């Protein structure tokens, strides 16, 4: 028990000592041309978080002082060499704005779960006014439109999300899955195929993505593509029962030759 307590204490200390907060990066800029050219120092602010293997994940702050846009990884040595801590700026400006943004999204989520779609839309839009690339807010607003059957507005959100790599990261998996399912439920099969294709570019060996895109292709009545992705799903995970049952369903409907499932699983 004592060893467990010591281990927990050590882990907490390690987490506490990890880099996290707002840092500034100064870059030298040349302004003007010829004899009027002069040098000026530009200061940009970044939100930084230490991750695995002595790497630091950095993300720029937007004009509203919240982390927004693409993240990138740099080594800890490079980070410590180039970035300067801004603890007061983080404590008094950035952290309160991040907290308020998260509270706004949480309110929107509660409205959506209660079926209060117009209140949810209002709060999600408030969040996007602060951070237009916020993944949770974009997914939430898109789901709100899909649940309301507003396909035109949902398509606008789809086009925004499909361009954002961060939308398909593991931390957003549940929202990502829910959005794809709702696209298919609304018979937005073209968008669903594009959506899952984009995800497969980033995670080509995810059997569930292959299964989901197979269902979207089936909605388009593209049986060859449906079967190809079901086969790939089973190649990646031979125990994926949903894929097996889907193939058996295709056999019963005489959309593919009988015995296809036996050929694949033997």
């Amino acid at each position: 028990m004592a060893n467990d307590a010591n281990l927990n204490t050590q882990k907490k200390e390690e987490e506490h000592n990890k880099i996290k907060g707002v840092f500034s990066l100064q870059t030298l800029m040349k302004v003007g041309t010829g004899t009027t050219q002069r040098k000026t120092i530009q200061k940009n602010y970044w939100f930084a978080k230490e991750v695995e293997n002595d790497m630091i994940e950095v993300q720029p702050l937007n004009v509203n002082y919240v982390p927004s846009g693409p993240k990138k990884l740099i080594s800890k040595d490079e980070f410590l060499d180039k970035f300067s801590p801004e603890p007061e700026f983080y404590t008094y400006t950035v952290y309160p704005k991040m907290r308020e943004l998260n509270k706004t999204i949480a309110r929107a989520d509660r409205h959506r779960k209660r079926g209060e779609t117009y209140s949810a839309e209002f709060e999600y839009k408030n969040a996007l006014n602060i951070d237009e690339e916020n993944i949770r807010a974009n997914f939430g607003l898109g789901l709100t439109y899909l649940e309301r059957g507003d396909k035109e507005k949902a398509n606008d959100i789809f086009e925004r999300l499909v361009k954002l790599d961060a939308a398909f990261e593991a931390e957003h998996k549940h929202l990502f899955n829910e959005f794809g399912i709702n696209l298919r439920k609304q018979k937005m099969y073209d968008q669903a195929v594009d959506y899952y294709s984009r995800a497969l570019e980033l995670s080509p060996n995810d059997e569930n993505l292959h299964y989901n895109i197979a269902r979207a292709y089936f909605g388009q009545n593209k049986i060859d593509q449906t079967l190809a992705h079901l086969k790939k799903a089973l190649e990646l995970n031979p125990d994926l029962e949903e894929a097996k049952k889907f193939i058996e369903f295709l056999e019963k409907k005489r959309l593919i030759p009988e015995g296809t499932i036996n050929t694949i699983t033997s």
Side-chain angles (χ1 to χ4, degrees):
M1 292 292 286
N3 287 338
D4 289 343
N6 290 336
L7 189 60
N8 288 334
T9 301
Q10 183 181 342
K11 284 181 179 178
K12 286 179 181 177
E13 287 177 357
E14 288 173 357
E15 286 298 320
H16 180 71
N17 291 329
K18 281 187 174 182
I19 291 169
K20 183 177 180 181
V22 171
F23 293 76
S24 60
L25 176 65
Q26 294 189 8
T27 51
L28 192 63
M29 305 285 291
K30 291 181 180 179
V31 180
T33 56
T35 56
T36 62
Q37 189 180 82
R38 58 190 178 84
K39 294 178 181 179
T40 181
I41 293 175
Q42 185 176 25
K43 189 176 185 180
N44 294 311
Y45 293 97
W46 298 73
F47 182 76
K49 181 172 66 174
E50 186 172 349
V51 290
E52 298 175 345
N53 303 320
D54 279 341
M55 299 296 288
I56 310 295
E57 179 185 85
V58 294
Q59 185 178 25
L61 301 186
N62 67 12
V63 294
N64 295 308
Y65 303 121
V66 297
S68 180
K71 301 172 184 176
K72 64 179 182 179
L73 289 172
I74 60 174
S75 71
K76 192 172 185 177
D77 287 342
E78 181 186 355
F79 177 81
L80 293 173
D81 182 52
K82 294 182 177 179
F83 287 76
S84 302
E86 303 281 351
E88 290 187 356
F89 185 44
Y90 174 62
T91 301
Y92 296 111
T93 303
V94 178
Y95 177 73
K97 287 188 175 290
M98 289 172 64
R99 192 163 176 263
E100 184 53 41
L101 175 61
N102 288 329
K103 285 168 71 175
T104 302
I105 296 170
R107 282 197 303 272
D109 288 342
R110 286 195 296 272
H111 285 305
R112 184 173 68 82
K113 286 173 184 174
R114 291 198 292 255
E116 299 162 357
T117 58
Y118 289 98
S119 295
E121 178 185 6
F122 175 77
E123 294 291 4
Y124 284 129
K125 283 183 173 179
N126 282 340
L128 290 171
N129 285 335
I130 298 169
D131 177 13
E132 65 180 0
E133 292 191 15
N134 187 278
I135 302 302
R136 281 178 59 203
N138 272 293
F139 269 128
L141 186 58
L143 286 164
T144 299
Y145 290 145
L146 286 169
E147 288 159 9
R148 205 158 70 200
D150 194 333
K151 293 184 181 181
E152 187 175 340
K153 288 182 178 179
N155 189 62
D156 290 341
I157 300 296
F158 154 77
E159 289 183 354
R160 185 186 302 173
L161 281 169
V162 83
K163 294 173 186 173
L164 300 175
D165 287 357
F168 304 99
E169 291 175 356
E171 66 180 295
H172 304 299
K173 194 78 171 181
H174 66 292
L175 288 167
F176 159 77
N177 287 334
E178 192 177 352
F179 191 74
I181 289 166
N182 276 273
L183 282 173
R184 200 179 68 246
K185 283 181 178 177
Q186 290 291 332
K187 296 183 167 48
M188 297 172 70
Y189 298 123
D190 292 347
Q191 290 91 335
V193 166
D194 289 346
Y195 182 72
Y196 286 122
S197 296
R198 180 78 177 88
L200 281 169
E201 289 175 17
L202 301 169
S203 303
N205 296 319
D206 187 324
E207 68 270 22
N208 293 305
L209 287 178
H210 284 284
Y211 172 75
N212 283 326
I213 199 171
R215 294 193 66 176
Y217 273 126
F218 181 71
Q220 293 178 320
N221 203 30
K222 294 181 178 179
I223 305 305
D224 289 345
Q225 290 94 324
T226 300
L227 183 58
H229 282 281
L230 290 172
K231 285 180 177 178
K232 183 64 178 177
L234 285 170
E235 179 187 315
L236 292 166
N237 180 5
D239 296 322
L240 190 63
E241 288 300 320
E242 294 92 338
K244 292 178 186 177
K245 288 176 182 176
F246 201 161
I247 294 172
E248 289 170 355
F249 165 80
L250 295 175
E251 287 180 5
K252 287 177 184 175
K253 293 289 184 180
R254 298 184 180 179
L255 296 170
I256 59 175
E258 282 188 31
T260 300
I261 186 65
N262 295 328
T263 305
I264 295 170
T265 56
S266 61

